[in-house]
Amino acid sequence: MPEPSPTLPDDPFRGRRPTSHERMTGLPWDASYRRDDPAPWDIGHPQPAIVRLASEGGFARTVLDAGCGTGENTLHLAALGLPVLGVDVAETALAIAREKAAARALSAEFAPADAFHLDRLGRMFETVLDCGLFHAFDRDERPEYVTSLASVTKHDGTLYVLCFSDAGPDTGPHPVTEQELRAAFDHSNGWNVVALKPDRVQTRFHDHNGAPAWLATIRRL
Ligand SMILES: C[S@@+](CC[C@H](N)C(=O)[O-])C[C@H]1O[C@@H](n2cnc3c(N)ncnc32)[C@H](O)[C@@H]1O
């Protein structure tokens, strides 16, 4: 296990170790945003599943977008008038997101944060969105992440997880099974999966129909 890098006490990334994805690729998440071409998940518009969810009134104030990337989902919610904070470990992604917000005259907030220590934000949210982050963590990482999500989701608040699923052909990387999702969020750790529906996630390496996904609606007990 790599040693955590020395950091200042108020550094939001203090004690952070490379995630399984970073160990596998040998690169920090930020490197995905410093290439000439956009990252495979960085599709340049919000995920259709999130747009639909928002149009159905799924997002109540206040919203946290965990692992927001360059902020398309965050900015879509901000454009609807919701107070929304997007957080990410990749400072380059956050800089791009802030530039987009300024260009679109939107007041979304973006901040650096480690998804394993969301409690350090010192804030609670009615709605939390995870679009493509849960599935990037391996089974050993997920319990700590789920605890971290619980620390910022208000009682009776809602967490949405949109992740690659194993249901169907042409799956995305790290497809998640229904059992894995249900096991990660259950009554014993303060969650109730109220809906788990097949959906799609668009990427730059799938056609317009995207990849098989789960959209989980999870209530904080
Ligand atoms: C697959 S991308 C999805 C980005 C965005 N939600 C979207 O839909 O375009 C996963 C994002 O999670 C971020 N991330 C990974 N590990 C993280 C961590 N420990 N804390 C905060 N963000 C993290 C990555 O930098 C990346 O932007």
Side-chain angles (χ1 to χ4, degrees):
M1 180 66 75
E3 286 297 310
S5 52
T7 47
L8 299 171
D10 58 351
D11 181 335
F13 302 130
R14 61 190 180 275
R16 191 175 95 78
R17 293 185 173 85
T19 64
S20 53
H21 180 274
E22 291 171 314
R23 294 196 301 274
M24 186 183 69
T25 60
L27 293 169
W29 278 99
D30 198 68
S32 305
Y33 297 102
R34 285 188 260 117
R35 312 176 330 175
D36 289 339
D37 50 332
W41 57 84
D42 196 8
I43 56 174
H45 56 81
Q47 285 289 341
I50 305 306
V51 173
R52 191 186 65 242
L53 195 54
S55 74
E56 294 165 354
F59 291 87
R61 67 184 321 277
T62 50
V63 185
L64 173 68
D65 183 1
C68 63
T70 68
E72 288 296 343
N73 297 312
T74 321
L75 291 168
H76 179 71
L77 300 176
L80 296 176
L82 288 155
V84 53
L85 169 66
V87 298
D88 206 285
V89 79
E91 300 270 12
T92 304
L94 293 170
I96 296 169
R98 289 190 192 103
E99 278 172 19
K100 288 185 195 174
R104 298 177 199 178
L106 292 170
S107 64
E109 196 185 346
F110 293 98
D114 183 354
F116 294 104
H117 294 283
L118 293 170
D119 57 306
R120 291 175 182 169
L121 292 170
R123 291 160 68 169
M124 301 290 283
F125 301 85
E126 267 95 359
T127 317
V128 178
L129 171 64
D130 172 321
C131 178
L133 182 53
F134 178 84
H135 68 205
F137 294 141
D138 69 16
R139 284 179 201 182
D140 293 341
E141 293 168 316
R142 287 174 187 167
E144 190 181 348
Y145 175 50
V146 171
T147 300
S148 175
L149 287 169
S151 73
V152 288
T153 310
K154 285 188 178 173
H155 169 67
D156 259 352
T158 305
L159 165 70
Y160 296 111
V161 176
L162 182 67
C163 63
F164 289 134
S165 89
D166 64 335
D170 203 13
T171 60
H174 324 296
V176 176
T177 67
E178 176 174 351
Q179 291 83 347
E180 282 174 323
L181 262 177
R182 290 193 184 280
F185 299 95
D186 74 359
H187 288 216
S188 70
N189 59 1
W191 298 97
N192 180 30
V193 177
V194 293
L196 184 54
K197 296 184 179 160
D199 215 305
R200 309 295 293 181
V201 170
Q202 291 191 350
T203 77
R204 289 190 173 271
F205 54 90
H206 288 84
D207 66 18
H208 70 280
N209 197 26
W214 297 118
L215 177 59
T217 304
I218 306 167
R219 193 87 64 229
R220 179 82 173 99
L221 298 175

